[in-house]
Each structure stands twice: as structure tokens, then as C-alpha cells.
Amino acid sequence: MASNRSLTMRWGILGTGWVSTNFVKDLVLSNPSSPIQHLITALGTSSEAKGSEFVHSIFTSHQPRPTIYTDYKSVYADPNVDIVYIGTPHVFHKESCLAAIAAGKHVLCEKPMAINEREVREMITAAAKKGVFLMEAVWTRFFPLVLALQRLLHKEKAIGDISRMFCDFGLDFISLPATHRLKDLKLGGGALLDLGVYALMFSSIVLDEHVGLEASNPEVTSSLFVIDGVDHDDVIVLKYPENGRMGILTASMRGKTGEDFLRIEGSAGTIVVSGPAASVPKSIKIMVKDQEEKVLNFEHEGMGFYFEADAVAGDILAGRKENDIMPLEESVRIIKIMDEIRKVGGVIYSQDQI
């Protein structure tokens, strides 16, 4: 980290899985352009061995290392932690979030923020009462590419009036065992909460220039292919009567999407967004009638988790309790849509029956 940065955010990390690993890897990158110095001061994990392996695989000998705790309560109690990042499976989000909030910690909670709307609202209420920051970690929303896409569509009207969009996020998880969290109903498994949430994010960005309370609520039609209670393939159609736009979204755990995962059609042309996955877009192709095709490439170091981390740190240091790009009411709006899709498709978690 650059030594001339005076603004510091101290993080406590819950979990040592894929998302926590990549989040921490990004935060410890040397990023001189960032005004924030991110310090990983605490790690909560199920065992000392897992914690040690996690730390040794990420931190160099010259980087300050976090204190490893084998219980989460110690992370919440650590006075050297400003904010807790929750990177555990979905079903544990609410409990961890409420505990961190009760300890007076700010929280960045991985998406989906919780299993259903009731849980999300409970978390938001707790954060408001305690006066701490809370945000759902929809990291892709903070990518420079996504911010540029919004500007192209809604400010510059690069392809005229938007009529419809197609977004697909599929990954090949066929070989995963039935006990894996993605296929385990008890752990909130299913394509919708892990993959479909990204397609819904893009639909929110593309089909409505507003967010949260100001955004429109679309009419939703959906169909899920369910195996052992868990959705493996999703088809979602969104209709926005107010602006005449439609979105066709698909998500799958049975096959990988190609590079071109998002297509947006307008009265003057088409935009195609590409990348290795819908979660990590890399380029925007703009095809306008009677004009030369233009491609905008967006490369960055690491995965790109530091974009949201910088935004969150900036909000907290400024005394704000939520973020304008990903406000809490946007989390409510998206989880309500997913609740409706699951209800129609027959995917019911135990948390829905409380």
C-alpha cells in the first residue's frame, strides 16, 4: 500500500471461501490511485488451520497480517475492526450481520444480503437503530465499466430509446456434488441467488436509470427448472409498462455463458457487453446505425472488489450510513423480485416458513 494515504479502513473478514479470498486479495493490492488504505485486521474462520492457510496464501511477509479468530464473536469485539465483511453462505448472513451491528460495527454483506425480504428488512432496521453503515456487496455495480454503461445509456442516449435487453449468466456446476452449498437447499442453494442476481442487477441498471425507492417495479414472469428443491436453470421476463422496456434474463448452473453475455437494443443501435462472466464485465461494444463500431475496453488489476471497498470506506469516513449506488432500498427491491420468482417456481427455503 502507498504510504502517503492518510485515510484508513480496518476490516474484519468472515469466511475463507472463494469470495472472501478474492475480496481480500484485491484489498491488499498496491493501488496508489486509491485514497483509502485498507487494512485486514481480523479474520473469522472455523479453524486455526484454515485461517493460517488463508493468510499465508494471500499476504506477503512484508504486509501486516490479521489476527485469526476461530469464532466470529471475537471479530465483532476486536477494537481494531471498523467494518465487518461477511463472505459466508447466504443462510448465515442475517445472523452474522445482526451480531456485527449489535457490536457497533459497520457491515458490508455479500449478495444476496439475506435469504428473503423479511430478513433483509430486519437487517436494515437493526443498522438504522444502531446508527451504522450497511450495504449489500453487489461489487460489479461499482466497476468503471458499469458506471460508463449507465452514462452511455441514460445520459448520452448512445443507442437511442432502449427497447429490450438480454442477459445470461451460466456456469458449469454439473459436476459439483449434491452436498455443495450451490446445490444444497439448506444452504440457500440455487442459480437465482448466486447467478440470477447479477442478471437482475444489469436489468436494474439498463431498463431503469433510477435506483432504490425511485426505481420502477416491473411485471415479472418466470420459470425455473428445479432439481431436489433447488433451481438449476432460470428464465425471467421483466416488463416495464411505464417506459415500454422489456428484459429477458437467464441463469444456469448447467452450462457456461459465452463472452457476450449482455445485449441491449435501442432505437438507434445496439450495445453488447462482454467478459469472462456477467460478474466481471470487460468491454462494451457500441453499434450505432450508419456509424463505425466502437469498442471500449476496461482492464483493471485483480478482480475489482476494491472499487466497492473504496466506495464503502468513503461513505463511512464521511459519516454516511448507506451508499448512493447501492442503497438499501435497492436490496429490498431486488430481493422482493427474487422472492416472487422463487414462490412461483417452487423453491422454498426453511427461512421462508418462519
Side-chain angles (χ1 to χ4, degrees):
M1 292 275 181
S3 60
N4 62 345
R5 286 178 289 168
S6 59
L7 302 177
T8 300
M9 187 57 50
R10 302 173 300 175
W11 295 80
I13 307 297
L14 300 191
T16 56
W18 183 93
V19 68
S20 291
T21 298
N22 284 285
F23 181 81
V24 172
K25 281 182 177 179
D26 267 14
L27 263 60
V28 301
L29 286 171
S30 177
N31 185 12
S33 64
S34 172
I36 310 294
Q37 181 178 21
H38 298 285
L39 299 177
I40 311 301
T41 53
L43 172 66
T45 180
S46 58
S47 72
E48 183 75 28
K50 276 189 176 180
S52 295
E53 182 182 356
F54 180 91
V55 169
H56 288 306
S57 69
I58 296 174
F59 294 83
T60 68
S61 58
H62 303 294
Q63 291 173 319
R65 299 188 172 199
T67 301
I68 299 172
Y69 297 109
T70 54
D71 66 281
Y72 294 162
K73 290 181 181 179
S74 297
V75 176
Y76 312 143
D78 191 326
N80 295 312
V81 170
D82 300 313
I83 180 170
V84 173
Y85 169 79
I86 300 173
T88 55
H90 319 323
V91 292
F92 305 122
H93 287 182
K94 188 192 83 165
E95 180 183 0
S96 297
C97 183
L98 292 179
I101 289 170
K105 303 300 185 185
H106 304 294
V107 176
L108 176 62
C109 184
E110 263 307 327
K111 76 209 145 322
M113 185 182 284
I115 288 294
N116 55 34
E117 181 191 357
R118 179 185 55 78
E119 290 193 343
V120 169
R121 288 196 181 278
E122 187 176 347
M123 294 155 72
I124 292 172
T125 298
K129 287 183 178 179
K130 197 68 176 180
V132 297
F133 179 93
L134 174 63
M135 193 184 89
E136 182 179 16
V138 188
W139 61 306
T140 312
R141 264 191 178 269
F142 295 85
F143 278 29
L145 180 149
V146 172
L147 301 179
L149 178 65
Q150 290 176 286
R151 185 181 68 252
L152 286 166
L153 293 173
H154 304 303
K155 303 299 181 187
E156 299 177 14
K157 307 288 185 182
I159 57 170
D161 296 326
I162 300 165
S163 57
R164 59 180 184 164
M165 63 161 281
F166 304 84
C167 186
D168 177 56
F169 191 5
L171 292 173
D172 186 358
F173 293 145
I174 294 176
S175 62
L176 291 179
T179 53
H180 192 281
R181 72 159 188 88
L182 286 165
K183 294 184 177 180
D184 189 341
L185 191 67
K186 294 178 182 178
L187 293 177
L192 181 63
L193 297 193
D194 264 273
L195 307 177
V197 66
Y198 285 100
L200 284 166
M201 178 209 73
F202 274 108
S203 72
S204 177
I205 287 166
V206 170
L207 300 177
D208 192 335
E209 61 185 295
H210 302 294
V211 68
L213 287 173
E214 297 181 3
S216 302
N217 291 310
E219 297 176 5
V220 182
T221 306
S222 61
S223 181
L224 309 183
F225 186 79
V226 179
I227 302 173
D228 296 328
V230 173
D231 59 300
H232 285 235
D233 291 275
D234 309 336
V235 178
I236 306 162
V237 179
L238 305 178
K239 178 182 177 182
Y240 285 76
E242 293 180 17
N243 58 28
R245 296 169 180 170
M246 294 193 71
I248 298 99
L249 319 177
T250 51
S252 176
M253 298 199 300
R254 301 196 296 173
K256 191 177 186 312
T257 305
E259 287 277 315
D260 299 340
F261 66 84
L262 172 62
R263 179 182 176 89
I264 308 161
E265 297 180 354
S267 58
T270 302
I271 281 179
V272 173
V273 180
S274 306
S279 54
V280 280
K282 294 289 186 180
S283 68
I284 299 173
K285 183 189 295 182
I286 307 167
M287 296 167 283
V288 177
K289 297 172 185 176
D290 301 322
Q291 293 185 24
E292 187 175 344
E293 181 179 293
K294 181 189 296 184
V295 177
L296 305 177
N297 293 307
F298 294 80
E299 295 295 333
H300 54 255
E301 191 176 2
M303 294 287 289
F305 284 97
Y306 46 78
F307 295 124
E308 72 169 355
D310 283 353
V312 167
D315 284 330
I316 292 171
L317 293 169
R320 293 185 287 270
K321 306 306 179 188
E322 62 180 295
N323 179 268
D324 288 340
I325 292 176
M326 189 60 205
L328 294 170
E329 282 301 326
E330 180 69 4
S331 295
V332 172
R333 198 173 73 86
I334 295 299
I335 198 70
K336 285 177 68 174
I337 292 174
M338 293 199 292
D339 282 356
E340 180 182 345
I341 292 167
R342 288 196 299 105
K343 182 179 179 180
V344 171
V347 175
I348 302 171
Y349 301 118
S350 60
Q351 292 84 355
D352 298 322
Q353 301 169 324
I354 296 173

